[in-house]
Each structure stands twice: as C-alpha cells, then as structure tokens.
Amino acid sequence: MNEALLEHASGIRLGFFLGIFALMALWEVAAPRRPQAIGRWTRWPANLGIVVLNTVLLRVLLPAGAVGLALFGEARGWGLLNNVALPRWAVIVASVVVLDLAIYLQHVMFHAVPLFWRLHRMHHADLEFDVTTGARFHPIEILLSMGIKLAAIAALGASAVGVLIFEIVLNGTSMFNHGNVRIAAPLDRVLRWFVVTPDMHRVHHSIDPAETNSNFGFNLPWWDRLFGTYRAQPAAGHQAMTIGIEQFREPRELRLDRMLVQPLRAEAGTYPLGRRPPGAR
C-alpha cells in the first residue's frame, strides 16, 4: 500500500493538474471575468515554462517529495499525529487543515520579509490574472516552500494520504482561485465561506500594497478572517483594478529569462508588510 502510494503519487497529482487546468482554461474562454489586454501567447509560454522548470527541479532534488517524507515519518513514529490515538479519518482531516494553515503563515512570511518578498513578487508581477498565474513561482521560492512544507509534515506527523490530498487540493484551488472566470455574486458570497474564490484572491493581486497584503489564503478562506487579513473587494472594483506590482510593468518582463532574475533587480518597494511609503510618519 505504502509503496503503491509513493509510486503513483506523482502521476495522480499530474492527472489532477492537467484535468483542472484544462477545465479552468475552457471556463476562462467561456465566461471571462475581465478582458485581458495582454494575450495568452505573450504570457503563457513563460508561465508554463516556469512550471516545467520547477517540476523538473523538485523531481531531481527531492524525488520522494512530501508524500515520501510522510510515509517515512509514519514508519518511524515522527510527529504529533503519529503519537496520538485518533481515527484514521481524523488524522487525514487534521493533516490537510493544519498544512493549509502552515501554507497561509508561510505566505504571510513571504510578504513580511523583504528578502523573501523579492522571490515571491515574481508571482505578483504577472500583468494579468488567470489560471497560469496560480503556478507562476520562482524556483528558489518553490524550494524554500517545499523545505517549510517538509518541516511541517515531519513535526505534525501528517498522514501520507492526507499529504497527497492536500497537495492535490492546493494545486487545484490555486488554479481555481487564480482563474479569470465569472461567478455570480450571490454564489461567490456563499462559496468564499468554504473555499478561496477568484474574486476573493484577485484582491491579493492588486497593485495597491494594502490590497496585496490581504487575502493570503490559497485553499481555505478561514485563516484570513481569523487573523484579520480578509478584504472583501478591491477599492477600484474588479473591472477597473490594476493587476501586478509597481515594478516590472513592461510586457518584456513577462519573458522567462527576465522573470528568473527579478529577485536581483529593483528595490523591494513598499509591498513588504510593515513598510511605509517614503515620507510617511
């Protein structure tokens, strides 16, 4: 069972990724939320190229991945959940929920620490907001994120099945909540109590630093409400809001080579949490 899970985990994740990506891409064509001034042919090659690069990098450096570590921890009794008497279903649910909280806290940290923001801002420097934005992360951020995730899995004693479910759900919801898709407002108001919706997460990609530093959740929306980082709507409205950050506004910055060196260029600006605009008291 354990060997089969480890053997097929990557294939299962890839299958869900391709299926959800295709569904979201078709939904974006059928019912777009915002018109896009910069077309897919300009943005998608680099955004999808970074996905391929990150996938290869993780496979080479961490072939067993998060599920492999969870299996290793289960066999050796590592972590909290491997040392408490809970039903299997409860361990799986706890693994998914606590790992989601860890990702929320990590996301806040990547906005709070200027050095980490330099890495994370590549995700925010996309000039449009669609399904490919949800997978656009700098390779160094991907490695740091995986290191944090592995530490959380080991400390928590997360279930291997729970980790696999979490990774599938996280990838799927990241593509969903970055989708340029239209959802009826009454339905969106209900959905965002249970999952981060595109209208909720789009606020996080506003050029306004106050809005960029809100709505950090990727999957579960509860953490933003609990920790006071929830913002219902962008001030300018979803149609008029500007996507991206103040730096890297030229379309040429959407090229893969320029994306990879963005952490080395320009100042962090006013985006990191706690930073104030020049001259502010």
Side-chain angles (χ1 to χ4, degrees):
M1 171 64 178
N2 288 349
E3 290 181 1
L5 182 63
L6 183 58
E7 180 181 354
H8 297 294
S10 295
I12 293 170
R13 289 185 59 200
L14 179 61
F16 273 97
F17 173 85
L18 294 175
I20 295 170
F21 180 88
L23 287 174
M24 292 304 303
L26 290 172
W27 189 358
E28 289 182 343
V29 172
R33 181 68 164 96
R34 288 164 44 103
Q36 293 193 343
I38 301 176
R40 292 180 177 86
W41 288 109
T42 300
R43 297 175 45 256
W44 279 30
N47 284 3
L48 295 177
I50 204 76
V51 175
V52 173
L53 177 60
N54 289 338
T55 301
V56 171
L57 187 64
L58 287 175
R59 289 292 292 174
V60 170
L61 296 180
L62 296 164
V67 173
L69 179 66
L71 287 170
F72 191 81
E74 284 180 348
R76 286 156 181 78
W78 289 358
L80 175 64
L81 295 179
N82 286 318
N83 290 282
V84 294
L86 288 174
R88 183 168 174 76
W89 68 264
V91 172
I92 292 172
V93 171
S95 298
V96 173
V97 173
V98 176
L99 288 176
D100 194 72
L101 172 59
I103 292 298
Y104 167 86
L105 295 173
Q106 172 199 299
H107 195 179
V108 173
M109 181 182 72
F110 272 69
H111 278 249
V113 179
L115 179 61
F116 292 160
W117 168 250
R118 280 179 170 270
L119 295 170
H120 183 63
R121 70 183 178 184
M122 195 199 83
H123 175 66
H124 284 265
D126 202 349
L127 297 178
E128 298 287 0
F129 181 91
D130 68 17
V131 61
T132 64
T133 310
R136 172 191 160 120
F137 294 94
H138 197 279
I140 299 177
E141 178 180 0
I142 287 293
L143 291 176
L144 286 172
S145 178
M146 179 57 78
I148 293 169
K149 186 191 304 181
L150 293 178
I153 289 169
L156 178 63
S159 155
V161 173
V163 170
L164 179 58
I165 292 172
F166 169 74
E167 296 224 296
I168 291 171
V169 170
L170 182 65
N171 287 339
T173 53
S174 182
M175 287 186 282
F176 168 69
N177 62 44
H178 285 89
N180 182 33
V181 295
R182 182 176 298 278
I183 298 176
L187 178 59
D188 179 85
R189 283 195 294 271
V190 174
L191 283 177
R192 65 170 63 192
W193 283 101
F194 304 98
V195 67
V196 176
T197 66
D199 273 14
M200 177 178 168
H201 192 68
R202 190 178 296 105
V203 179
H204 182 71
H205 283 258
S206 166
I207 197 172
D208 180 351
E211 295 179 344
T212 308
N213 291 317
S214 68
N215 296 6
F216 292 98
F218 270 87
N219 177 21
L220 299 174
W222 313 325
W223 315 123
D224 283 301
R225 296 178 185 271
L226 180 63
F227 294 110
T229 54
Y230 175 70
R231 184 180 292 259
Q233 302 294 338
H238 286 282
Q239 296 298 322
M241 67 179 289
T242 300
I243 299 293
I245 56 176
E246 292 167 353
Q247 304 102 317
F248 315 124
R249 300 300 304 174
E250 295 295 325
R252 64 178 181 168
E253 299 294 346
L254 298 170
R255 293 185 348 222
L256 181 57
D257 60 328
R258 299 187 72 85
M259 286 164 53
L260 290 173
V261 298
Q262 281 179 4
L264 304 176
R265 299 164 50 213
E267 294 297 322
T270 60
Y271 286 92
L273 280 166
R275 287 286 183 94
R276 296 183 178 183
R281 295 184 178 180

